[in-house]
Amino acid sequence: MSLATVGAAVLFLCIVAYAMSHGTDSDVDMHDPKIFQERKDLYRKQRDDFRGRPRAMKELREWKAKNDDYDYVELKSLERYYSGMIPSHLIGKMVGKQPFTKSDTWFSEFESHNPSALILSESQDSYIIANLASYDKRQYPEFKPGEHTPEGQGFGHCLVISRNRVFNIVDPDATANHSALLKEMKEHFITFWKTEDGSPKLLKRVRSTFDEQNDKLVSDDRNAKSSESLLSTLIDDFDTLSKSFLRCKPEDFEFAFHAFPANSVGHLHMHVFPKNGDLRKFSTKSHDWKTIPIEAVLEVEEEDERGVIDSGSG
């Protein structure tokens, strides 16, 4: 076993220990001073760990160069449920306009591998894309309590992804030029939400995913008896939540990241979901321990930049 592999395994065990001690399914105020500081510390640690590993930085350069002959090891997410990169059985398969290659992740060259309907808005630097998972954990009865479930982190949970190959929030390119890309991604969503058709467009996509999951729920013979009564409740709750969702203002949303290796997809994406507890009551809280608000990232970068300047001037 290589030193890089051993180091990655040790880091993973540290992440698991942190998750077990901080994981919760109750509401967490990520802007509570104590929790906010924890998120800052988590980001700084993950960033420094990643950038301090020569093999990881080498792989990052090869990934950005789209090298399909390179053997990627470090960039594969260490999360139990995700690989970070495209699974080997999909390499060469035509999913969109272009087949997946070895160096692809689920979000790289997104427009080439996915239906255009999933792109809700685009700017020069980023896309706003729909979440393929519904928001309601009750639509996934096959998962037992305590298991990792696929639902989003709140009603209307969507993603803002970089158009260029930026791997994760720990990638130096993510925070280059005073974190210009991160600020653009947040501003992109705010601008989108303020447009006349922004919120209805996102809600329409949320409804489509919600309906698709309901169809799967009803068609599963194992859930036939229970799903009929549940379906009516799900729809009633959706109608109630959708009204509350449309009343949200930009400041009512959380803009956050999952730092490598506790990430799902090996491509920079910002999670956007409502802070309102009612809009999250049927959604997973299991990712909250690793959810780092953009404000925490920006504060760390500003603090570290000031530290470099101060030490240089001293």
Side-chain angles (χ1 to χ4, degrees), residues 218-260:
V218 173
S219 64
D220 190 336
D221 292 337
R222 294 171 299 177
N223 306 317
K225 292 183 179 180
S226 59
S227 61
E228 289 184 9
S229 58
L230 173 60
L231 195 60
S232 177
T233 301
L234 290 171
I235 293 173
D236 286 344
D237 287 339
F238 181 96
D239 292 340
T240 299
L241 293 175
S242 63
K243 294 173 184 176
S244 178
F245 180 67
L246 291 175
R247 290 194 294 269
C248 285
K249 298 177 181 179
E251 58 267 27
D252 296 326
F253 289 93
E254 192 72 72
F255 302 89
F257 302 91
H258 298 159
F260 179 90

Side-chain angles (χ1 to χ4, degrees), residues 57-70:
M57 297 303 289
K58 166 66 175 172
E59 288 193 13
L60 185 64
R61 291 190 292 272
E62 298 297 336
W63 177 73
K64 290 176 186 287
K66 304 180 184 180
N67 186 346
D68 294 321
D69 297 319
Y70 193 82

Side-chain angles (χ1 to χ4, degrees), residues 156-216:
H157 182 181
C158 66
L159 306 169
V160 185
I161 68 172
S162 61
R163 295 184 68 160
N164 293 328
R165 285 203 171 200
V166 181
F167 184 71
N168 183 260
I169 193 65
V170 300
D171 182 335
D173 285 343
T175 50
N177 301 316
H178 308 291
S179 304
L181 176 58
L182 305 187
K183 295 172 184 176
E184 189 280 335
M185 292 167 72
K186 179 179 179 180
E187 188 58 35
H188 183 183
F189 179 84
I190 291 174
T191 301
F192 165 76
W193 186 256
K194 287 181 176 179
T195 60
E196 185 176 352
D197 64 341
S199 53
K201 191 173 184 179
L202 177 52
L203 180 60
K204 181 179 179 181
R205 187 62 219 179
V206 173
R207 181 66 195 234
S208 176
T209 305
F210 173 79
D211 288 341
E212 289 171 6
Q213 189 57 37
N214 279 342
D215 289 342
K216 294 177 183 177

Side-chain angles (χ1 to χ4, degrees), residues 8-9 16 32 113 148 164 171 188 192 217 290-291 312:
V16 170
D32 172 85
H113 302 300
H148 178 92
N164 293 328
D171 182 335
H188 183 183
F192 165 76
L217 184 65
K290 62 177 182 177
T291 298

Side-chain angles (χ1 to χ4, degrees), residues 66-85:
K66 304 180 184 180
N67 186 346
D68 294 321
D69 297 319
Y70 193 82
D71 185 19
Y72 297 96
V73 177
E74 293 274 319
L75 295 192
K76 291 185 177 180
S77 171
L78 296 178
E79 282 266 286
R80 175 182 172 188
Y81 304 96
Y82 303 107
S83 66
M85 307 283 284

Side-chain angles (χ1 to χ4, degrees), residues 34-202:
K34 181 176 182 294
I35 296 175
F36 188 76
Q37 184 61 49
E38 288 180 353
R39 297 303 186 271
K40 287 175 63 177
D41 294 342
L42 178 62
Y43 165 65
R44 182 179 274 116
K45 180 182 185 305
Q46 305 299 68
R47 180 200 64 183
D48 293 349
D49 283 346
F50 181 82
R51 297 182 188 181
R53 287 152 54 190
R55 173 64 188 263
M57 297 303 289
K58 166 66 175 172
E59 288 193 13
L60 185 64
R61 291 190 292 272
E62 298 297 336
W63 177 73
K64 290 176 186 287
K66 304 180 184 180
N67 186 346
D68 294 321
D69 297 319
Y70 193 82
D71 185 19
Y72 297 96
V73 177
E74 293 274 319
L75 295 192
K76 291 185 177 180
S77 171
L78 296 178
E79 282 266 286
R80 175 182 172 188
Y81 304 96
Y82 303 107
S83 66
M85 307 283 284
I86 286 296
S88 58
H89 70 275
L90 287 180
I91 295 175
K93 298 291 179 63
M94 186 74 75
V95 179
K97 293 180 289 186
Q98 299 289 334
F100 282 123
T101 63
K102 184 179 179 181
S103 67
D104 281 330
T105 68
W106 289 111
F107 294 163
S108 54
E109 289 72 58
F110 188 86
E111 70 284 355
S112 297
H113 302 300
N114 295 275
S116 59
L118 292 182
I119 300 176
L120 303 175
S121 178
E122 61 181 277
S123 70
Q124 181 176 342
D125 298 311
S126 60
Y127 289 127
I128 299 175
I129 64 172
N131 195 335
L132 291 179
S134 189
Y135 70 93
D136 199 319
K137 66 178 65 179
R138 295 172 297 177
Q139 293 178 287
Y140 300 93
E142 66 272 24
F143 290 87
K144 299 176 182 177
E147 287 186 335
H148 178 92
T149 50
E151 81 276 0
Q153 287 186 260
F155 189 97
H157 182 181
C158 66
L159 306 169
V160 185
I161 68 172
S162 61
R163 295 184 68 160
N164 293 328
R165 285 203 171 200
V166 181
F167 184 71
N168 183 260
I169 193 65
V170 300
D171 182 335
D173 285 343
T175 50
N177 301 316
H178 308 291
S179 304
L181 176 58
L182 305 187
K183 295 172 184 176
E184 189 280 335
M185 292 167 72
K186 179 179 179 180
E187 188 58 35
H188 183 183
F189 179 84
I190 291 174
T191 301
F192 165 76
W193 186 256
K194 287 181 176 179
T195 60
E196 185 176 352
D197 64 341
S199 53
K201 191 173 184 179
L202 177 52

